[in-house]
Amino acid sequence: MSEKHEASGDQTTGHVWDDDLADLTNEPPKWWMLGLTASALFVVIYWLYYPSIPFATTGDFFKGIGGWTAIKEMEADVGEVEAVRGKFEARLRGMTPAAILADSELTEYVTRSGKVLFGDNCAACHGQNGIGTHDKEGLFAPILNDDDWLYGGKIDDIHASIEGGRQGMMMAHKDMLSAAEIDALANAVAKGQPTSTPLFAEKGCTACHGEDGKGNQAMGSANLADKIWRFEVRNDKLSDAENMKRLVEGSKRTITYGVNSGDPQGRAAAMPSFKEAGKLSDTEMKKLAVYVYKFGGGQPDAPAAAADTKTDK
Amino acid sequence: MSKETEHKEAGSVTGIYQELEHWNVNTGDKTIHAKRMPGFFRTVKNYTQALYLLFFLVPYLRWNGKQAILFDITHNQFHFFNLTVLPQDIWMLSLLLLLLAMVLFAVTSVASRVWCGYFCFQTAWTDWFTWIEDKIEGNPQARRKLDAAPWSAEKIWKKSLKHFIWMIISLLTGISFSIWFVDAYDYWNKLVHFQLPLVGWVTLATIFFGTYILAALLREQVCMWMCPYARIQGVMTDSQTILPAYDYTRGEPRGKLRRGSEVVAQKGDCVDCFQCVQVCPTGVDIRDGQQLGCITCGLCLDACDSIMDKVGKPRGLIRYTSLDELEGKPARKMYQHPRTWVYIGIILIAFGGIVYGLTHLGSVVLKVIPERQPLYVYLSDGSIQNKYELKILNKTDSDIRVGVTAEGGVRDQVIIGAEKPLLARHGRSTSFTIFVRAPGQNIKMEVTPIEFRIQSIDDPLIGAEYKTKFNGPSVDLGRRIISGMGNAK
């Protein structure tokens, strides 16, 4: 097999082509052989360590001496996350929402980690970051990052809303008021000046919405004297006249058919009780309360600095 | 075509194989056993390689109770005596790397592979390892003899001892590498109790095996076959670069020195003693001219000079010289070497950048991220609220309390959430959520520039600013809507 190359005298494999071309039989470099050996060893070790034989006989298969599974790896990763969160979660368990809010470190933890919780359970109706969702009839669920709260914006109010859910209620007035009366009231409400028409007191609106039209958080009646509307939201792309028209129409509809009144054209405004649903743990509901509070609209329990008080409440 | 011409043409192709004999190609099949000779460049090399003692010793240096130089990967910090550099300032590291690369380029263009010959860790470790080999197994002849000899008790003992010492050095190398990144004393403590984390063991094993395989087993083959720098550095030299070269005009025709030789006059100065090849750590023959395997360590200069002294000829048959000089071309001046000046220019720019960076590290850095969903919120009194995330990076050693103010923005705006000073934790970035609320009728633009400023309560010198935006409804529509809707309340 082996021959000497005619010119160089080096050993060849004996295969000569194109007259005088041949393969020399020089040894590969040492580093190359070392690399090749190391690769071969690696293949064997890898093969044995991981489940590598793609056959399963009688339901059993070669699991590898390392015992690696994708599930175990995932569980280890989850364990890593839990280890970081665990110490916070343990503290949260025994605390009231207000106490959590008072602890800046825990509040920070909740606002950082609550995004998924909120996204999974709340954002479907309230929108990502609480910006509200809309259907063709207007605002479907309230915006959570403004300072207007139907049932109160204190931390315990928010927590109570999540735990117990909320059912809006307003009767349909289509049989009690004339079209002209409804029109007058709707225009006053749309302007944010419900008391500008005497009808507001005469027709008993004050019973729920208060004499000044600022609503009653105990029963969830809306504040009609501010610039936030429950079922309508300003569209910055429209002119003010168009916006006003939408507000008037919306208010008319709410007054005529009511909220959760049983009337097929009435407004629907219901939030489920998350405690009854059993889907969330107590800690999770507390976290959500703090998370929602920190959107920017939460109202402190004690009278705070001037900058923090809501002047129109 | 006649048979004769065909053969001639084929012969001209096969002629390249004739050159094989002259290629002193190190194919890695033989171990290079280089002779060690004293001399000027040997001494220089010993000193430059001794700089690597710093690599072994510096991590034990303490400063203010902490490790003086520590690349603290776990905490993302770099400590250099009093200086702490956080990841945010890591751009200086890239400038440092640029600087080092350019120094390498500049030095190479002036004096060829100085790095390879005198400073490279591969060269240094290989040199130490072969020194140990020399001490245990004897000189190159003895070593070759021992390699060829059958296994005996003496051979086993010598080989084992050699490999054992090599492994000790490799282990020390691995440990010394590791303790640049974690506390040195803590590391030793964990090491002797076998309590290193997995990453620690992996690092140690990698460097241990890396050192042992590269410096003990592969040696010059790393330079010849594996090292990319060797090739890059080779192309950065030109005919002006000074490098160890054989003066062929003076040396050729070479010939063996014979007692009472009758044809001395015909011969050049080279006595063909092969000492230059004998001492070469990469096993090349410098007389074949500039080549990839030459790491320009200068050991052949020492060897040749010692022979020239013995045969009574002037030194410098092999010497540091440029190819231009060897060919008798006039040597150009330094300023006629523009490439070097480009390198030096880049070095100066990089150096300036690092100096600027180190003197402008700052104590705090402020970043403000406006909320994007929603951009702004209508409040019940008709005002507009923006939400911002303040990130305060505190690079000092202590927590600081800062007040937040804003310039620009909307008239009568109020900052909410920073009524009390914010506590910025030291050595890291702390986030705060603040709100800016502005009366709707005062908003004149859809996007109003606003600049936040934080100011330490305790130290007036510590502060930082950040320019960002206050978002509102679109200019004309938004304003009309706000004024049109219930402004008369």
Side-chain angles (χ1 to χ4, degrees), chain A residues 126-144:
Chain A
H126 289 289
Q128 201 62 263
N129 290 341
I131 58 170
T133 49
H134 306 259
D135 58 15
K136 59 182 187 297
E137 290 166 3
L139 192 61
F140 177 69
I143 294 171
L144 297 179

Side-chain angles (χ1 to χ4, degrees), chain A residues 27-39, chain B residues 218 221 225-226:
Chain A
E27 273 197 17
K30 200 191 281 173
W31 68 267
W32 195 87
M33 288 306 293
L34 276 172
L36 184 70
T37 316
S39 310
Chain B
L218 292 177
Q221 293 189 34
W225 303 95
M226 297 167 79

Side-chain angles (χ1 to χ4, degrees), chain A residues 191-311:
Chain A
K191 287 199 186 80
Q193 299 156 320
T195 51
S196 64
T197 166
L199 287 167
F200 190 70
E202 285 168 20
K203 296 298 175 184
C205 304
T206 49
C208 294
H209 289 286
E211 282 180 25
D212 51 4
K214 288 188 177 178
N216 181 350
Q217 292 185 346
M219 57 200 303
S221 58
N223 181 350
L224 302 177
D226 64 9
K227 290 172 192 170
I228 310 266
W229 285 264
R230 166 62 184 89
F231 296 105
E232 288 296 341
V233 69
R234 270 170 289 227
N235 183 342
D236 288 343
K237 292 193 179 72
L238 300 178
S239 71
D240 62 335
E242 286 167 313
N243 263 303
M244 185 54 101
K245 206 175 133 202
R246 284 174 61 231
L247 269 180
V248 171
E249 288 307 311
S251 301
K252 265 192 198 168
R253 193 180 146 195
T254 314
I255 298 168
T256 311
Y257 303 111
V259 179
N260 294 342
S261 59
D263 191 295
Q265 281 177 278
R267 302 279 195 181
M271 168 163 160
S273 159
F274 282 84
K275 190 168 191 147
E276 267 172 40
K279 201 180 157 196
L280 296 177
S281 70
D282 281 351
T283 311
E284 284 171 327
M285 285 187 283
K286 284 188 278 188
K287 279 164 79 173
L288 279 174
V290 173
Y291 187 77
V292 169
Y293 183 98
K294 294 305 274 185
F295 274 142
Q299 294 160 356
D301 289 338
D308 247 28
T309 42
K310 311 289 184 281
T311 45

Side-chain angles (χ1 to χ4, degrees), chain B residues 123-138:
Chain B
T123 309
W125 261 252
T126 303
D127 194 51
W128 300 334
F129 278 33
T130 50
W131 179 78
I132 289 160
E133 193 174 54
D134 198 77
K135 291 291 155 211
I136 293 172
E137 298 183 0

Side-chain angles (χ1 to χ4, degrees), chain A residues 20 112 129 147 225 227 236, chain B residues 14 373 376 378 389 431 489:
Chain A
D20 58 352
R112 300 267 156 207
N129 290 341
D147 62 344
K227 290 172 192 170
D236 288 343
Chain B
T14 52
Q373 190 190 29
Y376 56 91
Y378 282 104
E389 188 180 353
S431 290
K489 184 165 80 175

Side-chain angles (χ1 to χ4, degrees), chain B residues 83-242:
Chain B
L83 203 68
T84 299
V85 181
L86 296 177
Q88 286 74 11
D89 299 310
I90 213 70
W91 57 272
M92 277 188 282
L93 180 67
S94 55
L95 278 188
L96 182 68
L97 292 176
L98 177 71
L99 182 109
L100 294 177
M102 286 302 140
V103 169
L104 186 73
F105 290 6
V107 169
T108 307
S109 81
V110 172
S112 72
R113 291 161 62 176
V114 170
W115 164 256
C116 294
Y118 303 95
F119 295 96
C120 178
F121 34 84
Q122 177 65 27
T123 309
W125 261 252
T126 303
D127 194 51
W128 300 334
F129 278 33
T130 50
W131 179 78
I132 289 160
E133 193 174 54
D134 198 77
K135 291 291 155 211
I136 293 172
E137 298 183 0
N139 62 29
Q141 288 97 311
R143 264 136 67 188
R144 285 194 200 94
K145 216 172 130 192
L146 187 71
D147 284 350
W151 285 99
S152 65
E154 191 205 1
K155 183 170 175 177
I156 291 171
W157 157 248
K158 279 186 174 172
K159 293 272 174 197
S160 315
L161 179 66
K162 178 181 80 175
H163 283 278
F164 177 71
I165 295 177
W166 282 353
M167 283 181 190
I168 294 284
I169 297 179
S170 302
L171 188 66
L172 273 174
T173 307
I175 292 169
S176 301
F177 178 82
S178 303
I179 57 180
W180 284 83
F181 302 96
V182 288
D183 188 275
Y185 297 91
D186 189 42
Y187 180 89
W188 273 103
N189 186 29
K190 283 187 180 149
L191 181 70
V192 295
H193 291 99
F194 293 100
Q195 283 171 343
L196 285 184
L198 181 66
V199 60
W201 290 117
V202 170
T203 308
L204 183 60
T206 307
I207 305 296
F208 169 77
F209 285 112
T211 309
Y212 182 69
I213 292 172
L214 295 182
L217 306 181
L218 292 177
R219 301 185 188 175
E220 85 290 342
Q221 293 189 34
V222 175
C223 313
M224 313 270 292
W225 303 95
M226 297 167 79
C227 180
Y229 300 113
R231 319 223 161 200
I232 298 171
Q233 292 194 79
V235 299
M236 284 185 302
T237 58
D238 54 24
S239 61
Q240 263 180 278
T241 308
I242 59 160

